[in-house]
Amino acid sequence: MPDFKTIQATYPKDKDYPERAFRLSALARVLEGTMYDTLEHPFDEEKNDAGEYIPLGKRRPSARTRICRTVVNDSVSLLFSEGHFPAVDCADEATRDALTKLAKETVLNEVMIDAATKGSAGSVAVIMRVLKGRVFFNAMSTVYLAPTWDEDAPDTLKAVTERYKVRGDVLKAMGYAIAEADLKAELWFQRTWDEAAETWFLPQSKDDAKDGKQPLVDAGRTVKHALGFVPIVWARNLPGGDLVDGAPTFPPEAIDVQIEADYLLSQGGRGLRYQSDPTLHIKQPAFGAGPGAIVKGAANAIITGADGDAKLLEISGDAANAVMEWVKGLRELALEGAGGNRSNPDKLSSAQSGRAMELMNQTLIWLADKLRISYGEGALLELLNMVVRASAKFQLVDKKGRKIEKLSQVDDLSLRWPQWYQPTYADKQTQAETLDTLRLAGLLSQDTAVKSIAQSYDIADSEAEIALIATEGPPPNLAPAAPEKPGKEPIGNSDD
């Protein structure tokens, strides 16, 4: 069976790009399910046109497990799905409400899901644009992006450059003036984001680039934003890697195990197909009951002599069961190495509490917890701070054209993350009793108590909820009892 390095050797490699571009594009193939596309032969093609045997390693598996993509999907869902997206929190109520509304209007959770999925190969860049007062976000693959960091502030972007090759006819379709001789040639496309502008360059020939000539600025497409900062957040996936790319969510050993499982499943399926159509073996002398060639089937008898024999060569079904058991074991190994979800829903006899689900999926939560640092505190929070800074430069508006008031430059902007798993009614009852006890003991404020249950009860504004509680007062059954009138004997206390 081939491993990932063997399959990578079949990928086309362009020496004009840096080594990281090849590495990231190879990992992206694993994520997108196109890892085997460069293998020429399908799995059931055993011989080529010349009658030569084709090794298994040169065939495309017919069954795919996609274990690595499963780990990515599960971890990203715990990060930014609708029930896990963090709430914006700060002391300034107007800023908090405006950012919360903006996050919903721009579908920021979908953008961050896309960002964390693309970034699982190593890194991702999320760009912010302000167009006619409206804010837009977009996640970009970093295969052809190169960051430049400020030497005095290594955590601050100084510029980001995008550079890749495009055919001349594609550029012409985009509106560029391309000479007829260059329509089939590859030209360099480049643009750069910095603190002042998004600078586009005219397409450059490969010869000019080799000679070290600088591309000419495309003044017609260049946009000067004058934000004072690069409107891009560069997120490194996991601790490790280098200064540009973090470690991938799916390690190389998990990819190798996935490949092994894919080929085993394909081979097992091939064996099952043979089992459903067993091979007929005839020992001469033997001949069919009818004229012509022998046709297999119950309606066509085979007559043998004293020295003849006929039998069906079948495969035992135990081999298929052994393959499935081995694939399950490989899947467990891959998920353990990548930190995926190894729980089996078939073994759950009833609904589990949120805490029980956390313990069951502890390794997946540990993975998602690390990703919160990269994509939550590192990327999402920085995007929100960019919006606040952009509001000082532009008059922001919402989707309906209504003005958004200038946001305050707050220092306490933070994210409030929900629980990993939604609590059951029993969990909520226990939580309510605990909060009530702490409140009555004077160990917890009402504001903190409401915030702790805000995500479970879909409370968007904790302060507004507290104001409503103060206005409505306690429920009637919790109101203080009216004092008894003197002289009236309580019912049931008679001596009779």
Side-chain angles (χ1 to χ4, degrees):
M1 304 290 182
D3 58 9
F4 188 47
K5 284 186 177 180
T6 304
I7 295 177
Q8 280 190 88
T10 65
Y11 299 160
K13 188 173 184 179
D14 194 331
K15 295 182 180 179
D16 291 338
Y17 292 115
E19 181 63 29
R20 68 174 290 269
F22 178 77
R23 184 183 73 251
L24 290 178
S25 61
L27 292 173
R29 286 174 178 266
V30 178
L31 194 64
E32 296 165 1
T34 59
M35 176 170 48
Y36 305 111
D37 284 5
T38 53
L39 300 181
E40 181 182 354
H41 306 281
F43 195 79
D44 60 353
E45 188 176 327
E46 300 183 6
K47 294 182 180 181
N48 57 22
D49 295 338
E52 299 171 336
Y53 176 75
I54 302 172
L56 290 178
K58 294 185 178 181
R59 307 184 210 168
R60 297 187 303 273
S62 57
R64 315 283 176 88
T65 57
R66 302 203 69 181
I67 298 173
C68 295
R69 181 61 188 243
T70 301
V71 175
V72 172
N73 288 345
D74 289 348
S75 59
V76 171
S77 295
L78 279 182
L79 274 180
F80 297 122
S81 63
E82 182 64 26
H84 292 92
F85 196 74
V88 183
D89 195 15
C90 66
D92 186 74
E93 183 178 356
T95 300
R96 181 181 65 246
D97 293 344
L99 290 176
T100 301
K101 181 180 179 182
L102 184 70
K104 290 184 177 181
E105 185 179 272
T106 57
V107 200
L108 191 52
N109 59 337
E110 182 180 345
V111 175
M112 295 309 299
I113 287 174
D114 186 30
T117 302
K118 290 178 178 176
S120 62
S123 61
V124 69
V126 185
I127 183 172
M128 181 196 74
R129 285 192 173 95
V130 180
L131 305 175
K132 295 183 179 180
R134 289 187 60 197
V135 179
F136 297 90
F137 301 101
N138 183 42
M140 304 171 62
S141 170
T142 61
V143 175
Y144 303 117
L145 296 180
T148 303
W149 305 97
D150 191 335
E151 293 182 359
D152 297 328
D155 61 343
T156 303
L157 280 174
K158 190 174 181 181
V160 174
T161 300
E162 181 181 34
R163 189 168 182 265
Y164 56 91
K165 289 184 290 188
V166 190
R167 276 173 51 119
D169 52 357
V170 176
L171 291 170
K172 187 174 183 178
M174 295 169 58
Y176 287 95
I178 305 297
E180 196 70 26
D182 293 333
L183 290 179
K184 301 298 181 182
E186 287 186 328
L187 304 174
W188 283 104
F189 170 83
Q190 181 175 333
R191 58 178 168 170
T192 300
W193 294 266
D194 57 23
E195 298 176 352
E198 178 182 334
T199 306
W200 291 57
F201 297 89
L202 293 173
Q204 186 184 35
S205 67
K206 293 169 68 174
D207 292 337
D208 288 346
K210 234 177 236 185
D211 294 340
K213 295 181 181 179
Q214 293 298 318
L216 300 176
V217 174
D218 187 349
R221 290 180 171 83
T222 296
V223 178
K224 295 184 178 181
H225 54 72
L227 286 170
F229 60 89
V230 181
I232 291 178
V233 171
W234 190 281
R236 297 169 65 251
N237 188 57
L238 286 173
D242 50 38
L243 296 176
V244 178
D245 304 308
T249 302
F250 39 96
E253 56 270 20
I255 303 175
D256 288 341
V257 173
Q258 175 181 321
I259 294 171
E260 177 77 9
D262 290 349
Y263 275 95
L264 276 175
L265 280 178
S266 301
Q267 189 75 335
R270 183 166 169 254
L272 284 175
R273 285 192 293 273
Y274 284 156
Q275 183 180 354
S276 64
D277 185 20
T279 301
L280 176 64
H281 175 261
I282 300 174
K283 181 181 178 182
Q284 294 293 349
F287 56 90
I294 295 176
V295 179
K296 289 186 293 182
N300 297 282
I302 299 174
I303 302 173
T304 66
D307 297 327
D309 190 14
K311 65 182 69 176
L312 291 174
L313 302 181
E314 298 182 282
I315 300 176
S316 171
D318 293 338
N321 293 331
V323 168
M324 290 305 300
E325 288 300 320
W326 179 237
V327 169
K328 287 179 182 178
L330 290 175
R331 184 177 183 275
E332 290 287 322
L333 287 174
L335 291 178
E336 182 179 0
N341 180 9
R342 291 186 292 156
S343 63
N344 188 351
D346 296 336
K347 296 181 179 179
L348 298 178
S349 58
S350 61
Q352 302 292 315
S353 67
R355 180 56 181 163
M357 293 298 294
E358 288 183 18
L359 293 174
M360 191 181 305
N361 300 324
Q362 189 63 65
T363 54
L364 178 62
I365 289 176
W366 285 337
L367 173 61
D369 205 15
K370 289 184 284 188
L371 292 174
R372 275 184 176 182
I373 301 172
S374 303
Y375 298 102
E377 309 300 330
L380 178 57
L381 194 59
E382 182 61 24
L383 287 173
L384 296 174
N385 278 305
M386 282 184 179
V387 173
V388 174
R389 295 170 67 182
S391 69
K393 298 282 186 178
F394 303 101
Q395 174 60 65
L396 303 182
V397 297
D398 62 13
K399 198 171 184 178
K400 296 182 179 179
R402 295 172 296 195
K403 293 183 179 179
I404 298 175
E405 296 299 326
K406 184 178 178 181
L407 305 178
S408 301
Q409 295 282 348
V410 292
D411 296 327
D412 61 340
L413 189 62
S414 62
L415 301 175
R416 192 170 69 249
W417 295 91
Q419 299 179 28
W420 291 111
Y421 291 96
Q422 289 296 323
T424 62
Y425 286 109
D427 292 334
K428 291 181 179 180
Q429 178 67 26
T430 303
Q431 186 183 32
E433 293 173 355
T434 303
L435 293 176
D436 186 49
T437 302
L438 294 174
R439 283 276 294 118
L440 293 177
L443 299 175
L444 192 70
S445 68
Q446 188 178 27
D447 183 60
T448 302
V450 172
K451 284 182 178 179
S452 66
I453 64 174
Q455 291 287 340
S456 300
Y457 293 91
D458 200 20
I459 300 174
D461 191 335
S462 301
E463 293 185 5
E465 188 70 19
I466 293 172
L468 283 174
I469 294 172
T471 302
E472 294 177 357
N477 60 333
L478 295 181
E484 297 179 357
K485 294 181 179 180
K488 185 176 180 180
E489 187 175 324
I491 298 175
N493 287 348
S494 173
D495 294 335
D496 296 337

